[in-house]
């Protein structure tokens, strides 16, 4: 038995002995269950349980493969990765709050607010999140003599041009 974000699979092997002929009889059976969901713009396969309605979580952006946990009404409902679509089967005739939490080891920017969706039988709602990598710059401010500046006020005035950036700062002395 295996269960993944793509569905549920079960393989059964049965061996019996026919007492009349003293022969072994080997039987195989396989069962697979998955959802095929579409909102007429995208098609996705997945979901470990069957439902007549679903949400497709589409994570666009960078870095590809960054992992997220999908929460439905504050309960974990599955996992998704940037660059993929994940089917979350849900019962119809209900309204849900869908939210993401990063499970990646890198800093990411994305909409962390819950999004509300109401589902009806046969209804598939695709929800797209834009994910962007956040770069953290760590440094130390030095004066012209190479000594660390102990007190300064940094103001936001960052300009990026051709992979260079400028950052404004006002230096002051402690009285």
């Amino acid at each position: 038995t295996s269960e993944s974000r793509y569905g549920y699979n079960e393989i059964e092997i049965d061996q019996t002995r026919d007492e009349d002929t003293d022969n072994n009889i080997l039987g195989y059976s396989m069962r697979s269950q998955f959802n095929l969901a579409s909102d007429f713009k995208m098609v996705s396969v997945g979901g470990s349980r069957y439902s007549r309605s679903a949400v497709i979580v589409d994570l666009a952006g960078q870095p590809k493969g960054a992992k997220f946990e999908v929460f439905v009404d504050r309960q974990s409902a599955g996992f998704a990765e940037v660059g993929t679509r994940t089917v979350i089967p849900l019962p119809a005739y209900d309204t849900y709050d869908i939210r993401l939490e990063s499970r990646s080891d890198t800093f990411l920017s994305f909409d962390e607010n819950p999004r509300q969706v109401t589902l009806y039988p046969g209804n598939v709602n695709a929800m797209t999140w834009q994910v962007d990598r956040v770069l953290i710059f760590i440094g130390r401010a030095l004066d012209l003599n190479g000594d660390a500046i102990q007190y300064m006020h940094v103001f936001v005035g960052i300009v990026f041009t051709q992979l260079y950036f400028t950052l404004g700062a006002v230096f002051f002395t402690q009285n």
Side-chain angles (χ1 to χ4, degrees):
T1 302
S2 74
E3 188 173 327
S4 74
R5 67 186 206 101
Y6 298 109
Y8 171 84
N9 298 298
E10 181 178 54
I11 297 174
E12 193 173 300
I13 301 172
D14 220 6
Q15 181 176 354
T16 58
R17 185 170 209 65
D18 185 346
E19 293 179 13
D20 295 334
T21 62
D22 201 29
N23 289 332
N24 287 330
I25 300 171
L26 196 57
Y28 302 92
S29 67
M30 186 175 113
R31 188 169 73 108
S32 183
Q33 176 180 322
F34 62 90
N35 292 293
L36 181 63
S38 175
D39 68 345
F40 299 106
K41 294 178 189 163
M42 62 177 74
V43 176
S44 296
V45 175
S48 59
R49 62 191 178 282
Y50 172 76
S51 184
R52 295 184 60 195
S53 56
V55 169
I56 298 175
V57 175
D58 182 20
L59 301 181
Q62 294 290 331
K64 300 285 187 222
K67 295 183 184 343
F68 285 83
E69 189 167 0
V70 180
F71 287 87
V72 176
D73 294 337
R74 294 186 296 220
Q75 299 292 319
S76 179
F79 293 89
E81 293 182 8
V82 174
T84 66
R85 296 180 190 117
T86 303
V87 176
I88 306 292
L90 295 169
Y93 297 115
D94 211 342
T95 299
Y96 301 96
D97 285 326
I98 312 295
R99 184 175 56 84
L100 298 178
E101 281 188 17
S102 175
R103 295 295 179 243
S104 181
D105 58 357
T106 187
F107 291 103
L108 301 172
S109 172
F110 63 97
D111 182 9
E112 298 181 48
N113 295 315
R115 297 183 184 181
Q116 201 170 73
V117 63
T118 301
L119 297 175
Y120 300 97
N123 181 227
V124 175
N125 192 315
M127 305 176 92
T128 302
W129 276 263
Q130 178 63 38
V131 178
D132 295 302
R133 178 179 292 161
V134 175
L135 298 176
I136 305 296
F137 296 98
I138 300 173
R140 187 173 186 194
L142 304 175
D143 64 17
L144 294 175
N145 297 325
D147 297 324
I149 299 172
Q150 293 185 14
Y151 304 100
M152 73 177 182
H153 172 74
V154 177
F155 60 91
V156 178
I158 301 174
V159 179
F160 287 91
T161 54
Q162 298 179 3
L163 301 179
Y164 290 95
F165 67 92
T166 59
L167 177 69
V170 176
F171 306 104
F172 61 91
T173 57
Q174 182 73 15
N175 292 351

